[in-house]
């Protein structure tokens, strides 16, 4: 069954999603049969709710039975699980807790691997590898439970004794006995490495939350949009991208191909995210249609309005922390909290709903399955292909992951925009306006960039985004977040434009409404850095509707209130000439947005930008290298590969002079110490991956020796109280010796072993300087003792 079917009449057979049925008769869209859960109860049920599976008919005496025609491996897993389950219960009764837990873990792993086999998404090589893992696990379990050894062929299928010769059976049995000990060792070591969630969580800095929406039942009567995200009630904010589901008025997804395939992975979650005091899954439900559902159809009504309908919240703290098991087959019901008044803003309703008040949902809500998955996205796709494939939507965290690996895989240039709130005067109208905000991305000429706005994962990009319309509210609070994905090369010439329009319930009046105000914000600041993170209070302009969409009329004007740069504002209008003279500041209205830049290529720090673009102003290179030490460590870590590329490029392009060698060396020492800090300890692997996979400065080893020796000699002049500083510098040099050796090996491969004597001489100079330092007098405990 792919849908729930309640029993409304006596002859109906009630069904739940996933329940297996045996069909006895079929007639005009209905089936008659029984459920495999209760074979005694028979009834009829709609054929549209059933997905047919292939079966094989077996003769059992005088009766015939239908057996699913699954692959033999799946049937064997099912039989093994049933056999183990009986012994598992006996272990619990006997008090053998250790063996009980071990069998439980193996059964859970077998059930997950069975799901992978049934998914049908595995390529042939992965399928064969999975079959070997499954048979190894079953053989291991049979051995520790004192069950019979199963003899198999080369494809891991059970040999049929009626179709196999005695000699072949004997040889296969001997091979199985020989390989069983090896498989036992592999299973034992793998369970020692990963006994449970805690081991996975400690080993991997990256975590993911898998979500599958099984069903959505709600009496709306119009099209709907579901925005699902992760929410931190302590910070009162969404912490992930939205997962968007577009629901048709008929009660199924608008894209019928997504039926039974509404899946998303919330990725980039770090250990700190899973350790939040509380974590919720929230769903904002927005209907698309009339202004008011109670409006009659006696007059022509405006349509396509995005109106608030309700929200759903679920506490997933225990699932995220691993204190309760997460299972992709277990379904959770999340009730819907309906909007009760025009002043109920969805974000405010979420804050109230997390308090846990019971509501009368009348059976309306979502059925979802959740599971925590460990590792980065590529690893998750490899380990769980039956859950996460190329069709599964990916919703990233609003922010950076704990580790940003070098290379193209983690290149990112996302700007998250949140429509926070606004306040609008009713002007000449008798009632407050029904304000709709339209967002678009424009270039310097005012042309709209196509398909760069993403409402969320699982949804197609668009060129315009229209906000939810709240009915006759002076103070609007949207809290709607969307992603702006502009190509890196176009960011410097683009800006966001916000236009405001009153929406009417009457179609004729709605068509006559024009834009009454406009605001804009540039994505790039004059100094070349990107828009700063945080909230922005934008200046609203009023004027002729055509002028409000004319970029030449507003781009020269200030866009933010209380901006630090000089302002031309005087009174309620700007004293400017030309086209901008037609625009005036709307002093009675206000509008606030919030932005968050997640880019591995565009920085918000001027000092770091100067280093990354050092070729544009080479005269400032010395100062930019020194200023790197003042940049926040988190900002440097985000641009680790680009920073290292810049430093090694400086070194290689100035190989004929030693002017910058010490400055570059100091910068690299700063980065190495930064990575050694506990806060950024996960980036040790990133640094090593960069050196091994992306480093190409073969002459770097030559330029490192001089600064290394100078550092050692400089340590001798430190006061006795600076022993800790000496130890820190020595540990830095130890890391650099490792890297110098790798650089030299790279150089030796390229130039076929030349300059070996020079390398040995430089290494000897270094150790002589290190010996002199070790022999220098120090107060307190000796250097070696520390």
């Amino acid at each position: 069954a792919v849908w729930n079917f309640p029993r409304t009449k006596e002859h109906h057979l009630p069904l739940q999603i996933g329940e297996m049925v045996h069909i006895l008769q079929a007639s005009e869209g209905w089936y008659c049969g029984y459920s495999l859960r209760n074979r005694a109860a028979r009834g009829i049920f709609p054929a549209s709710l059933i997905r047919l599976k292939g079966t094989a008919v077996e003769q059992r005496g005088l009766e015939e039975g239908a057996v699913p025609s699954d692959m033999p491996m799946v049937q064997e897993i099912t039989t093994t699980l049933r056999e183990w389950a009986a012994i598992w219960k006996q272990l619990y009764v006997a008090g053998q807790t250790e063996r009980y837990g071990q069998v439980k873990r193996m059964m859970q792993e077998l059930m997950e691997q069975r799901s992978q086999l049934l998914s049908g998404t595995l390529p042939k090589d992965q399928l064969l590898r999975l079959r070997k893992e499954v048979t190894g696990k079953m053989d291991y379990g049979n051995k520790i439970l004192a069950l019979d050894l199963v003899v198999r062929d080369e494809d891991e299928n059970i040999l049929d004794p009626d179709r196999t010769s005695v000699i072949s059976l004997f040889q296969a049995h001997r091979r199985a006995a020989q390989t069983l000990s090896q498989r036992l060792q592999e299973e034992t070591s793998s369970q020692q490495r990963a006994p449970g969630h805690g081991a996975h969580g400690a080993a991997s800095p990256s975590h993911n939350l898998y979500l599958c929406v099984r069903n959505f039942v709600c009496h709306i009567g119009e099209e709907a949009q579901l925005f699902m995200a992760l929410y931190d009630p302590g910070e009162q904010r969404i912490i992930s991208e939205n997962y968007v589901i577009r629901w048709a008025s008929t009660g199924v997804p608008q894209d019928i191909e997504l039926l039974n395939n509404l899946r998303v992975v919330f990725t980039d979650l770090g250990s700190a995210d899973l350790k939040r005091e509380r974590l919720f899954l929230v769903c904002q439900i927005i209907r698309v249609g009339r202004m008011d559902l109670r409006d009659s159809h006696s007059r022509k009504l405006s349509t396509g309005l995005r109106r608030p309908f309700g929200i759903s919240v679920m506490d997933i703290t225990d699932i995220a922390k691993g204190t309760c098991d997460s299972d992709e087959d277990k379904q959770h019901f999340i009730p819907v909290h309906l909007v009760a008044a025009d002043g109920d803003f969805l974000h405010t309703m979420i804050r109230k709903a997390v308090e846990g008040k019971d509501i009368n949902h009348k059976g309306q809500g979502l059925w979802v399955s959740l599971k925590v998955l460990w590792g980065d996205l590529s690893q998750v796709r490899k380990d769980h292909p039956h859950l996460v494939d190329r069709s599964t939507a990916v919703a990233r965290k609003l922010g950076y992951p704990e580790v940003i690996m070098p290379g193209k895989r983690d290149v990112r240039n996302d700007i998250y925009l949140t429509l926070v709130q606004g306040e609008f005067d009713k002007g000449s109208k008798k009632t407050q306006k029904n304000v709709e905000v339209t967002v678009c991305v424009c270039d310097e000429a005012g042309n709209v960039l196509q398909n760069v706005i993403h409402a969320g994962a699982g949804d197609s990009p668009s060129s315009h985004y229209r906000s939810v319309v709240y009915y006759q509210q002076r103070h609007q609070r949207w809290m709607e977040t969307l992603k702006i994905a502009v190509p890196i090369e176009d960011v410097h010439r683009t800006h966001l434009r916000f236009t405001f329009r009153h929406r009417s319930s009457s179609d004729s009046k709605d068509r006559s409404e024009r834009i009454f105000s406009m605001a804009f914000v540039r994505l790039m600041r004059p100094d070349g850095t990107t828009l700063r993170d945080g909230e922005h209070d934008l200046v609203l302009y009023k004027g002729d509707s055509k002028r409000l969409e004319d970029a030449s009329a507003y781009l020269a004007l200030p866009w933010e209130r209380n901006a630090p740069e000089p302002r031309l504002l005087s009174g309620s209008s700007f004293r400017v000439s030309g086209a901008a003279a037609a625009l005036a500041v709307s002093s009675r209205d206000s509008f606030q947005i919030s932005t968050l830049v997640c880019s591995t290529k565009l920085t918000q720090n001027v000092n770091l930008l100067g280093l990354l673009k050092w070729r544009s102003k080479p005269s400032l290179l010395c100062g930019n290298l020194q200023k790197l030490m003042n940049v926040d460590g988190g900002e440097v870590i985000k641009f680790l590969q680009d920073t290292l590329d810049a430093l090694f490029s400086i070194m290689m392009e100035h190989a004929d002079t030693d002017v910058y060698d010490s400055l570059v060396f100091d910068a690299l020492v700063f980065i190495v110490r930064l990575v050694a800090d506990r806060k950024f300890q996960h980036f040790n692997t990133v640094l090593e991956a960069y050196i091994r996979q992306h480093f190409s400065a073969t002459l770097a080893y030559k330029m490192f020796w001089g600064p290394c020796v100078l550092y050692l000699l400089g340590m001798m002049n430190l006061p006795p109280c600076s022993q800790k500083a000496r130890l820190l510098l020595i540990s830095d040099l130890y890391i650099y010796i490792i890297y110098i050796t790798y650089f030299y090996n790279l150089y030796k491969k390229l130039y076929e072993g030349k300059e070996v004597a020079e390398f040995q001489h430089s290494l000897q100079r270094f150790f002589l300087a290190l010996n002199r330092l070790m022999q220098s007098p120090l107060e307190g405990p000796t250097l070696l003792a520390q």
Side-chain angles (χ1 to χ4, degrees), residues 419-481:
L419 306 179
V420 179
Q421 59 185 353
E423 190 169 350
F424 302 91
D425 185 67
K426 62 182 179 181
S428 59
K429 294 184 178 294
K430 295 180 180 180
T431 58
Q432 295 295 337
K433 298 174 180 176
N434 308 321
V435 179
E436 179 187 72
V437 187
T438 301
V439 185
C440 62
V441 183
C442 305
D443 60 16
E444 294 172 331
N447 301 316
V448 176
L449 273 65
Q450 300 298 310
N451 300 326
V452 295
I453 299 178
H454 299 256
D459 197 33
S460 301
S462 61
S463 305
H464 295 83
Y465 177 85
R466 292 177 172 83
S467 70
V468 173
V469 178
Y470 290 97
Y471 188 69
Q472 294 184 358
Q473 298 295 315
R474 175 179 175 84
H475 182 87
Q476 309 271 347
R477 186 168 179 81
W478 297 282
M479 299 304 294
E480 299 178 45
T481 300

Side-chain angles (χ1 to χ4, degrees), residues 28 44 121 145 202 208 213 219 226 267 270 325 466 475 486 519 661 705 710:
E28 297 182 356
I44 65 171
T121 59
L145 294 177
N208 310 270
V213 179
H219 306 301
L226 280 62
T267 188
D325 291 336
R466 292 177 172 83
H475 182 87
V486 179
D661 287 0
W705 286 121
L710 291 176

Side-chain angles (χ1 to χ4, degrees), residues 33-293:
Y34 59 85
S35 170
L36 297 186
R37 293 182 180 179
N38 183 11
R39 298 174 182 265
R42 299 193 178 191
I44 65 171
F45 40 92
S48 59
L49 305 184
I50 303 299
R51 186 179 69 183
L52 299 177
K53 296 183 63 176
T55 58
V57 179
E58 290 186 354
Q59 191 76 25
R60 298 172 182 173
L62 299 177
E63 295 183 357
E64 290 183 349
V67 180
S69 57
D70 296 324
M71 60 182 70
M73 181 66 69
V74 174
Q75 295 183 20
E76 184 184 357
I77 294 175
T78 304
T79 304
T80 301
L81 288 173
R82 288 174 179 167
E83 189 175 12
W84 287 6
I87 302 175
W88 182 50
K89 293 178 182 178
Q90 296 173 8
L91 294 174
Y92 178 79
V93 173
Q96 299 182 29
T97 55
E98 184 177 350
R99 182 55 56 86
Y100 169 83
Q102 185 181 16
V103 175
K104 177 184 177 181
R105 287 193 298 272
M106 289 192 300
M107 290 175 67
Q108 289 175 336
E109 291 170 358
L110 278 179
M111 285 187 283
E112 184 170 326
Q113 290 169 331
R114 181 179 181 274
S115 299
Q116 294 182 31
L117 290 171
L118 287 172
S119 67
T121 59
L122 297 176
K124 189 174 181 179
D125 57 338
Q126 290 187 18
L127 181 63
L128 181 59
R129 185 164 58 247
L130 179 61
R131 290 163 66 93
K132 290 183 179 294
E133 292 177 3
V134 168
T135 54
K137 197 175 301 296
M138 289 191 294
D139 290 344
Y140 173 76
N142 290 335
K143 178 68 176 178
I144 65 174
L145 294 177
L147 298 175
D148 293 336
L149 174 64
V150 179
V151 182
R152 311 175 190 279
D153 59 18
E154 295 179 353
D155 295 327
E156 304 298 330
N157 294 318
I158 299 177
L159 285 176
D160 186 353
D162 295 333
R163 301 180 180 180
T164 309
S165 66
V166 176
I167 296 176
S168 299
L169 279 174
F170 173 76
Q171 293 176 343
H173 191 281
R174 187 173 60 179
R175 287 196 302 269
Q178 291 174 348
T179 57
L180 179 59
S181 58
Q182 180 181 354
R183 286 181 172 178
L184 285 172
Q185 294 176 357
E186 292 175 356
E187 289 295 325
T188 304
S189 61
S190 65
Q191 291 194 9
Q192 289 175 349
R193 288 195 302 268
H197 293 316
H200 284 290
S204 173
S206 183
H207 313 283
N208 310 270
L209 180 67
Y210 167 80
L211 167 69
C212 179
V213 179
R214 302 290 184 178
N215 200 1
F216 172 59
V217 177
C218 201
H219 306 301
I220 300 177
E222 292 184 321
E223 293 182 0
Q225 299 171 355
L226 280 62
F227 289 77
M228 308 187 74
L230 303 181
Y231 178 81
D232 186 334
E235 301 177 5
Q236 295 187 358
R237 70 179 184 91
I238 300 290
I239 66 168
S240 73
E241 294 179 357
N242 289 307
Y243 171 50
V244 181
I245 302 174
R246 296 186 179 270
W247 206 258
S249 58
T250 54
V252 295
Q254 285 187 3
D255 185 355
I256 199 63
E257 292 184 0
L258 294 178
L259 187 64
N260 304 318
N261 194 32
L262 297 171
R263 301 178 296 170
V264 64
V265 173
F266 293 98
T267 188
D268 293 338
L269 301 176
S271 55
D273 295 308
L274 301 188
K275 292 178 182 177
R276 292 175 185 266
E277 185 177 353
R278 297 177 76 192
L279 186 63
F280 278 76
L281 174 68
V282 301
C283 176
Q284 302 181 63
I285 305 169
I286 299 169
R287 64 177 181 85
V288 182
R290 296 165 288 170
M291 182 69 73
D292 193 333
L293 284 172

Side-chain angles (χ1 to χ4, degrees), residues 26 31 39 177 215 217-218 233 325 334 338 340 352 378 472 558 618 754 775:
Y31 289 144
R39 298 174 182 265
N215 200 1
V217 177
C218 201
D325 291 336
I334 316 176
L338 300 178
K352 294 179 180 179
S378 60
Q472 294 184 358
K754 297 179 181 179
Q775 294 169 359

Side-chain angles (χ1 to χ4, degrees), residues 131 134 158 245 285 288 305 320 380 384 417 435 535 617 627 637 654 677:
R131 290 163 66 93
V134 168
I158 299 177
I245 302 174
I285 305 169
V288 182
L305 301 175
V380 166
H384 307 277
L417 166 69
V435 179
E535 197 163 298
K617 294 183 179 179
K627 290 177 181 178
I637 286 295
H654 297 88
D677 190 287

Side-chain angles (χ1 to χ4, degrees), residues 650-700:
I650 293 169
M651 182 176 288
M652 294 301 295
E653 293 185 23
H654 297 88
D656 54 345
T657 177
D658 58 359
V659 174
Y660 302 108
D661 287 0
S662 295
L663 291 173
V664 171
F665 186 82
D666 291 343
L668 291 171
V669 168
F670 168 73
I671 292 175
V672 169
R673 288 183 182 175
L674 198 62
V675 174
D677 190 287
R678 290 185 62 184
K679 183 179 178 181
F680 306 113
Q681 60 183 346
H682 292 308
F683 283 83
N684 277 305
T685 55
V686 178
L687 190 58
E688 292 175 5
Y690 173 82
I691 295 298
R692 297 185 182 279
Q693 300 174 15
H694 301 275
F695 177 77
S696 58
T698 54
L699 297 178

